[in-house]
Amino acid sequence: MNGDLRSPLARARGLGSAKQGLHHWWAQRITALALIPLVVWFAVSLVLMSGADYGAVRAWIGSPVVMVLLILTIAVGLHHAQLGLQVVIEDYVHADGAKLALIVLCRFIAVLFGLAAIVAILSIGFGG
Amino acid sequence: MSVANRPVHRPLSPHLQVYRRQLTSVLSILHRATGIALAAGALYLAIWVVCAASSPATYAGFQSFNTSILGRLFLGGWLFSAFYHLSNGIRHLFWDAGYGFELKDAYRSGWIVVGVSAVATLASWIVGLR
């Protein structure tokens, strides 16, 4: 009882902390911080690359520094996106089954597209 | 009905439609909307590199969408969403660190976000379409 600010009913319902509350919040902030330079770099590159042809785009993607930054941008960006979409889903979808299904679907799509992008970037850089 | 499932009837706060529109709430809603748009944009970015890794013909098909009116609007929307979500996200990080909560500061940083994202979007359109 001591130090517990919840009402007796809230405690009885047993829906207290799962001890992971901060992890999601923290991961969202850390990925946000990492995305500041990455998104600025990518947006500027995208604008400067406007009108570039197939060969020029592949040469750009395949250069070592761009490969690293692009993989980071896509991986961190998709992680951040999936964390954000989870919050949106939790806010608006109240049926437990649909909520869980949508969150899992977002994660699957993020991992699938992220992995496809990474394989594509590596194959451009190393394959030829 | 078990105790765990019994609904709790607490007083509710007035909901969204009761309030007058104001800069702070509009920017907050726009942050979420651009975030959702950018999630779709990230998938589009993945499709872009996959097309570049496949064949010249596939990439040409992808590019023909990008250079269409719809594609230009899509990319322009992507850039605006990115610049807006980026600058407003920095504003959010300052709040998370405990700065800028005074009403006056929240409005000032809000207008800075509007200005920065508008100028950055216009500048990238001008440079990108030159």
Side-chain angles (χ1 to χ4, degrees):
Chain A
M1 290 286 270
N2 278 344
D4 194 341
L5 295 175
R6 290 177 301 168
S7 68
L9 176 58
R11 209 176 308 119
R13 293 168 101 215
L15 300 173
S17 158
K19 299 192 171 59
Q20 297 179 11
L22 194 63
H23 178 260
H24 181 285
W25 188 92
W26 191 234
Q28 209 176 12
R29 267 71 193 169
I30 294 294
T31 50
L33 202 60
L35 281 167
I36 294 173
L38 290 172
V39 167
V40 170
W41 165 78
F42 181 71
V44 170
S45 306
L46 191 71
V47 169
L48 294 179
M49 296 260 301
S50 164
D53 62 7
Y54 180 68
V57 167
R58 281 179 63 98
W60 183 75
I61 294 175
S63 63
V65 174
V66 173
M67 280 209 289
V68 171
L69 292 179
L70 203 53
I71 289 173
L72 270 179
T73 306
I74 291 176
V76 179
L78 281 171
H79 189 193
H80 185 80
Q82 168 256 308
L83 290 168
L85 287 176
Q86 180 183 344
V87 176
V88 174
I89 292 164
E90 285 167 350
D91 278 353
Y92 302 130
V93 182
H94 300 307
D96 278 342
K99 179 168 40 179
L100 185 63
L102 277 172
I103 291 171
V104 171
L105 184 69
C106 278
R107 293 208 166 185
F108 282 3
I109 290 174
V111 172
L112 178 69
F113 276 71
L115 194 59
I118 291 168
V119 169
I121 292 166
L122 292 179
S123 78
I124 291 172
F126 297 130
Chain B
M1 191 182 278
S2 73
V3 175
N5 293 326
R6 189 188 299 160
V8 184
H9 295 290
R10 296 199 179 95
L12 296 171
S13 67
H15 200 49
L16 212 57
Q17 59 270 24
V18 176
Y19 293 105
R20 189 165 50 86
R21 241 200 318 274
Q22 48 200 326
L23 180 74
T24 43
S25 63
V26 170
L27 294 188
S28 170
I29 292 163
L30 199 57
H31 192 71
R32 182 159 276 199
T34 52
I36 295 169
L38 286 169
L43 300 185
Y44 192 70
L45 172 56
I47 293 170
W48 172 60
V49 291
V50 168
C51 286
S54 45
S55 67
T58 313
Y59 193 73
F62 180 78
Q63 272 297 75
S64 71
F65 171 74
N66 283 340
T67 48
S68 68
I69 304 270
L70 192 65
R72 284 292 177 216
L73 280 175
F74 187 82
L75 289 176
W78 188 93
L79 279 171
F80 170 74
S81 298
F83 290 131
Y84 176 79
H85 200 84
L86 176 73
S87 47
N88 201 49
I90 293 172
R91 184 168 171 244
H92 268 281
L93 287 175
F94 272 102
W95 283 335
D96 291 336
Y99 300 104
F101 278 116
E102 291 297 325
L103 200 55
K104 171 171 64 67
D105 299 332
Y107 270 87
R108 187 191 295 153
S109 59
W111 283 117
I112 291 173
V113 163
V114 171
V116 166
S117 41
V119 168
T121 307
L122 274 175
S124 50
W125 270 73
I126 291 166
V127 175
L129 295 176
R130 77 197 182 287

